[in-house]
Amino acid sequence: MSFPWAQQYKPATEFGQWMDDRLPIGRMIYNSLGAGYPTPRNLNYMWNFGSLAGVFLVVQIVTGIILAMHYAANAAIAFDSVEHIMRDVNSGWMIRYAHANGASFFFIAIYLHIGRGLYYGSYKAPREMIWLLGVVIYLLAMATAFMGYVLPWGQMSFWGAKVITGLFEAIPLVGKPIQELLLGGFAPDNAALNRFFSLHYLLPFVIAGVIIMHIWALHIPGSNNPTGVNVKGPQDTVPFHPFYTAKDGWFLGLALMFFTAMMFFMPNALGHADNYIPANPLSTPAHIVPEWYFWPWYAILRAFTFDFLFVPAKLLGVLAMFSAILVWFFLPWLDKSPVRSGDYRPRFKKFFWFGLIPCIVVLGICGGAPAEEPYVMLSQLASAYYFAHFLIILPLLSRIEKPEPLPNSITEAVTGKPLEQAS
Amino acid sequence: MASVDTAVEPNDSAGSEPEIGGVRRRDFINVAAVSFGSVGVVATVFPLVNQMNPSADVLALSSIEVDISAIEPGQAIKSSWRKQPIFIRNLTEAEIEAANAVDLSGLRDPETLADRTQEGKENWLITLGVCTHLGCVPLGAAQGEVKGEYDGYFCPCHGSHYDTAGRTRKGPAPTNLEVPEYSFLSDTVVKIG
């Protein structure tokens, strides 16, 4: 993106000039992260999670490449090779814990990033493509995280793989053959472990590729901001560097403190003890749960305990679970409100904070709890609200809601003064 | 009055900040930030690189005990330790004399046979069977193999010759065949590692 007032790249050295004439990579960085990218001056801390997610993806790729140097994707020795990493490899325990907890932090960042987009209307025109690519990134991240969780070949790994691939069995007629195709067998075994490892290594690079498109699409209209009002002039923006590089940097430091505290002092807090038992195809753990970041979707999957007409409950659950995320693809067209930011939408704001967010929290709690009452009923109610929010409430709201008056410009919103006087 | 909205002319000395000998206070902040960051980067990168080093199970002193009672003078056996070949040779009187007759000053890696064996056990030459040039396994330990020009070991790959004490004599090998740590548990059993 270039607002007319964006600063132009001027190579500082002769080599820089030589390079700029041949491969303008310095120009590219300058225009995306430097003073060549003017950014709204009022971005709040919710705008820090994009770069944070990017950093955690890098952490995952670096630690993952290293772990792959020591890990053996063979059903006979996979579990032992993970123990070898934990006990014998220099700093192996640390790198594995960084990888395992890094996944959680990646999802924390990505969820807050998505939540920011939902609340401030970042999915609306002209930023629909950024949103769609973001949903693709999220789906890829889900697949990657799932397949990574299988690799240690513990009890949770094995039975997680069995349950999740079992979902495909719900497809009428071809379900069973599809499940066997995905697993390369009748149950998770060496073939499945090998392909999961291969894909777990591949997909992060695909994610990185889609992230490049995500950022590319972002730089066309430029960043949204807490008012949702378009940038009107130079006074509404600041150069990305040094302003947001510094802010992102300070925030990264803070996040890394939490990350390392987690990694060093409670590395297994988010894990499941059963995954320290080698995979046993003949004995299911008492309670199979996915990682915390999949709990809400797992709750929706289990909410369907009844057959509907000729559709069996299992298939309904699978369809509902996938629809819960696929519905995001249609969000830019479901929510037609011309106002982007939730700050200026009194009713939307209430439904967001007192409807959607508690609903997802309840789903999360139910997904981590055993499948018994009251959790089944709660997850049914919450699932119903979840879909109602996207398919009924948002389209209706955008018709009947009367938004609060928007500020004339970002600067006016920041300074509280009309633009003419703010000088 | 200037506010955040008015353009401020770029000024490297950052307003009225005092300059002492061309050094600004901001320079200190920059240097401090970069130094602090560098220490953090090094501290992070170190374990990421260190994991490449041999792991504890590889390094573990997995010692072996070898029964050498059946090795007659003039014979040698190959064993393996730490996944590498070990040559254990029972030198004959003539071979010991040949080794001791060599003038050290002419050697690339001067060591006497006594340096490379244990006292009273000069006939037992125990070395790694790894050519010090590029790590091939030299010939000469098994019966009928070429022993090279100096009657010790010979690595045909790049033409390194070792003498009866396993010292490099000719060819590209830079150092003598490595002598591992070992001890005699009895006259017939040697423990390597």
Side-chain angles (χ1 to χ4, degrees):
Chain A
M1 174 195 62
S2 63
F3 291 125
W5 56 89
Q7 292 181 38
Q8 293 306 306
Y9 179 65
K10 287 188 221 71
T13 59
E14 216 165 290
F15 172 75
Q17 184 63 54
W18 182 92
M19 196 65 181
D20 194 46
D21 292 339
R22 287 159 182 80
L23 180 66
I25 201 157
R27 180 175 294 273
M28 189 184 78
I29 293 167
Y30 185 87
N31 287 339
S32 33
L33 297 173
Y37 183 47
T39 349
R41 60 188 274 189
N42 60 337
L43 300 189
N44 61 30
Y45 275 109
M46 290 310 293
W47 264 261
N48 286 59
F49 291 103
S51 70
L52 194 65
V55 170
F56 275 107
L57 180 69
V58 172
V59 169
Q60 290 307 87
I61 290 179
V62 170
T63 53
I65 288 174
I66 288 171
L67 289 174
M69 295 174 185
H70 302 283
Y71 169 79
N74 179 308
I77 53 173
F79 187 89
D80 291 341
S81 77
V82 174
E83 290 304 303
H84 158 75
I85 289 168
M86 294 300 288
R87 291 153 202 268
D88 296 331
V89 175
N90 304 311
S91 313
W93 59 274
M94 190 179 99
I95 296 166
R96 172 163 177 257
Y97 279 154
H99 196 72
N101 289 294
S104 282
F105 275 73
F106 177 73
F107 274 97
I108 291 171
I110 224 175
Y111 279 140
L112 291 168
H113 192 60
I114 292 171
R116 191 281 319 272
L118 282 172
Y119 181 74
Y120 290 110
S122 298
Y123 50 85
K124 288 185 186 174
R127 298 185 181 81
E128 301 97 320
M129 189 51 73
I130 312 173
W131 176 259
L132 299 182
L133 290 166
V135 179
V136 171
I137 292 170
Y138 178 66
L139 288 169
L140 287 168
M142 287 179 85
T144 309
F146 159 65
M147 286 188 282
Y149 193 55
V150 173
L151 300 184
W153 214 238
Q155 273 292 67
M156 277 294 164
S157 296
F158 181 91
W159 291 97
K162 190 142 191 191
V163 167
I164 299 300
T165 57
L167 298 181
F168 292 90
E169 206 188 353
I171 303 167
L173 300 175
V174 292
K176 192 83 184 158
I178 284 180
Q179 188 199 2
E180 283 169 16
L181 181 83
L182 291 174
L183 284 175
F186 305 103
D189 202 353
N190 213 31
L193 181 59
N194 268 288
R195 69 187 60 172
F196 282 10
F197 179 55
S198 171
L199 293 172
H200 183 69
Y201 205 118
L202 168 72
L203 287 182
F205 298 97
V206 179
I207 292 177
V210 184
I211 285 175
I212 288 172
M213 288 199 280
H214 187 68
I215 296 171
W216 188 6
L218 169 70
H219 283 71
I220 303 299
S223 303
N224 187 24
N225 69 86
T227 66
V229 173
N230 285 339
V231 167
K232 300 268 169 64
Q235 72 283 353
D236 288 341
T237 64
V238 289
F240 192 91
H241 177 76
F243 292 94
Y244 289 117
T245 43
K247 192 175 177 179
D248 282 352
W250 131 258
F251 197 70
L252 173 65
L254 200 66
L256 288 179
M257 271 170 52
F258 283 103
F259 176 55
T260 45
M262 184 96 203
M263 194 175 124
F264 289 122
F265 297 114
M266 41 195 309
N268 288 309
L270 297 175
H272 201 293
D274 274 22
N275 225 25
Y276 283 101
I277 302 169
N280 181 356
L282 302 180
S283 158
T284 312
H287 174 208
I288 305 179
V289 281
E291 292 282 77
W292 68 267
Y293 37 79
F294 293 146
W295 283 352
W297 319 127
Y298 194 56
I300 293 178
L301 170 75
R302 293 194 307 190
F304 287 81
T305 52
F306 47 85
D307 298 351
F308 181 73
L309 300 178
F310 54 90
V311 190
K314 184 175 176 182
L315 179 59
L316 274 179
V318 175
L319 289 177
M321 186 181 74
F322 285 111
S323 312
I325 294 153
L326 296 180
V327 71
W328 296 354
F329 274 116
F330 303 97
L331 194 53
W333 298 278
L334 288 169
D335 177 7
K336 296 295 257 187
S337 173
V339 173
R340 289 197 198 106
S341 170
D343 278 352
Y344 299 92
R345 301 181 61 189
R347 292 196 185 179
F348 170 89
K349 199 191 294 188
K350 290 198 183 89
F351 277 108
F352 184 86
W353 288 117
F354 302 111
L356 186 63
I357 297 297
C359 158
I360 291 175
V361 170
V362 167
L363 282 174
I365 292 167
C366 292
E372 57 196 37
E373 294 298 351
Y375 302 111
V376 176
M377 200 223 351
L378 276 176
S379 45
Q380 284 168 348
L381 291 173
S383 302
Y385 179 80
Y386 181 89
F387 285 104
H389 184 89
F390 286 105
L391 298 174
I392 301 168
I393 293 171
L394 279 184
L396 272 182
L397 265 189
S398 50
R399 281 164 188 268
I400 60 174
E401 182 181 52
K402 188 172 176 297
E404 287 167 7
L406 290 174
N408 288 318
S409 77
I410 292 171
T411 299
E412 199 183 296
V414 173
T415 60
K417 285 184 254 171
L419 193 54
E420 298 78 47
Q421 295 169 21
S423 60
Chain B
M1 204 187 101
S3 82
V4 281
D5 296 313
T6 46
V8 177
E9 285 300 310
N11 181 355
D12 274 348
S13 61
S16 58
E17 194 182 301
E19 255 190 58
I20 305 156
V23 178
R24 298 173 304 155
R25 290 202 299 181
R26 176 160 296 189
D27 292 339
F28 172 76
I29 295 174
N30 284 342
V31 170
V34 169
S35 319
F36 187 77
S38 310
V39 171
V41 167
V42 170
T44 308
V45 167
F46 177 76
L48 299 184
V49 174
N50 187 38
Q51 53 83 24
M52 307 279 283
N53 280 320
S55 52
D57 60 333
V58 172
L59 281 184
L61 273 181
S62 51
S63 54
I64 57 161
E65 290 177 17
V66 186
D67 182 355
I68 53 173
S69 59
I71 307 174
E72 297 291 328
Q75 286 187 330
I77 62 160
K78 286 185 200 175
S79 183
S80 104
W81 174 68
R82 286 187 169 179
K83 305 262 170 92
Q84 298 200 89
I86 289 272
F87 293 163
I88 303 174
R89 176 177 288 276
N90 189 350
L91 298 173
T92 61
E93 289 297 328
E95 284 171 331
I96 295 172
E97 274 171 35
N100 287 335
V102 174
D103 180 13
L104 283 189
S105 61
L107 291 180
R108 191 178 282 161
D109 181 11
E111 273 184 310
T112 63
L113 180 62
D115 291 337
R116 297 170 56 73
T117 53
Q118 292 194 354
E119 217 177 322
K121 303 274 187 188
E122 268 96 3
N123 58 322
W124 291 107
L125 179 67
I126 300 177
T127 60
L128 284 188
V130 178
C131 179
T132 56
H133 174 220
L134 290 175
C136 312
V137 180
L139 300 175
Q143 217 154 23
E145 282 182 354
V146 184
K147 289 181 161 188
E149 285 180 30
Y150 296 88
D151 215 22
Y153 299 104
F154 171 59
C155 186
C157 311
H158 303 94
S160 295
H161 297 258
Y162 298 90
D163 66 13
T164 48
R167 296 174 293 201
T168 176
R169 297 299 291 273
K170 190 181 174 189
T175 56
N176 303 334
L177 287 181
E178 193 186 326
V179 176
E181 198 179 306
Y182 68 89
S183 56
F184 284 91
L185 297 181
S186 71
D187 278 349
T188 58
V189 177
V190 63
K191 179 183 165 197
I192 295 168

